[in-house]
Amino acid sequence: MRIQLSEHFTYKKLLRFSLPTIAMMIFTSIYGIVDGFFVSNYVGKTAFAAVNLIMPYLMIQGCFGFMIGTGGGALVAKTLGEKRRETANRYFTMLICFTVMLGVLISTISILFMRPIVLFLGAEGAMIQECMTYGTIMSAFNVAFMLQFFFQSFFVVAEKPNLGFGITVAAGMTNIVLDALFIAVFCWGAAGAAIASGLGQCVGGVLPLLYFAQRQETEKEGGRSCHTAGKLRNTSLLQLTKTKMEAGVLLKTCGNGSSELMSNISASVVGMLYNFQLMKYAGENGIAAYGVVMYTQMIFFAIYIGYAVGTSPIVSYHYGAGNHGEMKSLLRKSLLMMAGTGIVMMLSAQASASVLSGIFVGYDAELLAITEHAFVIFACSYLLSGVNIYASSFFTALNNGGISAAISFMRTLIFQTGAVLILPLLFGIDGIWWAVTVSEVMACLISVVFLVVKRKKYHY
């Protein structure tokens, strides 16, 4: 039986509803890591370092879709809670069109200026061409990348998280199979990794368009259609409809989703700063080690992000419906789960540091030792990161993009930038690995302050 946004959510129901989105985010992270695995093991550590060097910039491109998806998802879910379904569908369609247009613009600029971008990021020697090849091909697929991020949020709003997970699996398997074919068999190197990723993103971005383009049907009607025609019919809350651009709605969407964009841009900018610092303190090995840490962090953070994305529409719906008791219950349950999960994640990451590091760089003893040491220190950040991610997402769900952006901005840019610049002066390369943990502690204090100060305004 499908769980509806309007229901009361127990711990069990929260997990059931958010689990497909969590799995979707984990799987997205895993197949994103596959590029790194194949490039590192079949092409070499120079190409692996090049992919890691350009990756923060590529993530900034794609995360404009995440901004529109999270900000727009909160607005559309709130509109559904206000019982304005036709308006919600119009907003949904308009945001898809806006995502496509913005994606084309970003792709064009990135392709035209890829060489200056690569040089600005600090690429040297053989890394320059590897960065340009991977970055240019990935930028060409940016519209699909943005749409994939966009629909990850809207499948939850549409009460179809399981379908979202299924499409993500299809996209991921496409990428994994093509990575093996293009890199291990055809020996296309970094170019093969980029093409495989881009085609996988096409699956994740285009299939949802085909689904939501169909007319809405009830579950019963949809079941008959599936049986008779053998096709997947749209039984969700959303569908594409006639629309027009509304500047006010777009501004509100971008403002509300700015926290998620800021978080990802800041993380990417800080990632570039990490690369600069690591090149200074440890050279190419430092960048490669950081790439492994980031790949594995993606999997652990995917759990937090998946839960936040999977539960935000519930908060938005009940906020729009004025169900303050349910909002209070959702916040309490979510914070307790994030705190408990943080302890488990930190201990699990530290225990598996040797195994996870060996998967990527087991062929180089010196690099393996650096990576494993970094991993153990870096894992301490998982203790509080879930609370901070959820706090930011909670205010996005309440359509308060300002506070959400403030938490994300300070957590991922201000605190980390300060830490990664200052701590190495005191502790050497270990200061770089401790920087993210220090920033999470500071961000948690800020998150708690905002939650306490705004509790009366939002009645949670």
Side-chain angles (χ1 to χ4, degrees), residues 138-207:
M138 288 290 286
S139 295
F141 288 99
N142 185 54
V143 172
F145 192 23
M146 287 176 60
L147 284 174
Q148 184 172 0
F149 273 135
F150 175 91
F151 284 118
Q152 285 176 344
S153 296
F154 271 98
F155 270 121
V156 184
V157 177
E159 295 181 347
K160 287 291 184 179
N162 288 316
L163 180 58
F165 172 64
I167 289 177
T168 300
V169 170
M173 292 307 299
T174 300
N175 186 17
I176 292 170
V177 171
L178 293 181
D179 262 332
L181 182 64
F182 293 164
I183 301 175
V185 179
F186 293 169
C187 300
W188 288 356
I195 295 171
S197 291
L199 293 176
Q201 290 161 6
C202 287
V203 174
V206 175
L207 286 184

Side-chain angles (χ1 to χ4, degrees), residues 98-110 142-143 146:
F98 179 63
T99 301
V100 172
M101 291 187 292
L102 183 61
V104 171
L105 176 63
I106 293 173
S107 294
T108 303
I109 294 173
S110 295
N142 185 54
V143 172
M146 287 176 60

Side-chain angles (χ1 to χ4, degrees), residues 225-255:
S225 296
C226 289
H227 178 73
T228 56
K231 295 173 65 177
L232 182 63
R233 296 295 182 182
N234 183 0
T235 58
S236 74
L237 297 180
L238 300 172
Q239 74 168 36
L240 301 185
T241 187
K242 291 183 178 179
T243 191
K244 62 180 180 179
M245 292 295 164
E246 298 180 41
V249 175
L250 292 176
L251 288 173
K252 188 171 184 179
T253 293
C254 294

Side-chain angles (χ1 to χ4, degrees), residues 232-291:
L232 182 63
R233 296 295 182 182
N234 183 0
T235 58
S236 74
L237 297 180
L238 300 172
Q239 74 168 36
L240 301 185
T241 187
K242 291 183 178 179
T243 191
K244 62 180 180 179
M245 292 295 164
E246 298 180 41
V249 175
L250 292 176
L251 288 173
K252 188 171 184 179
T253 293
C254 294
N256 193 37
S258 63
S259 60
E260 279 67 29
L261 177 65
M262 181 58 65
S263 177
N264 285 282
I265 288 180
S266 299
S268 295
V269 170
V270 171
M272 297 173 194
L273 181 58
Y274 267 87
N275 285 331
F276 283 128
Q277 289 286 75
L278 286 165
M279 183 68 80
K280 175 182 176 181
Y281 282 89
E284 190 176 286
N285 277 352
I287 294 179
Y290 180 63

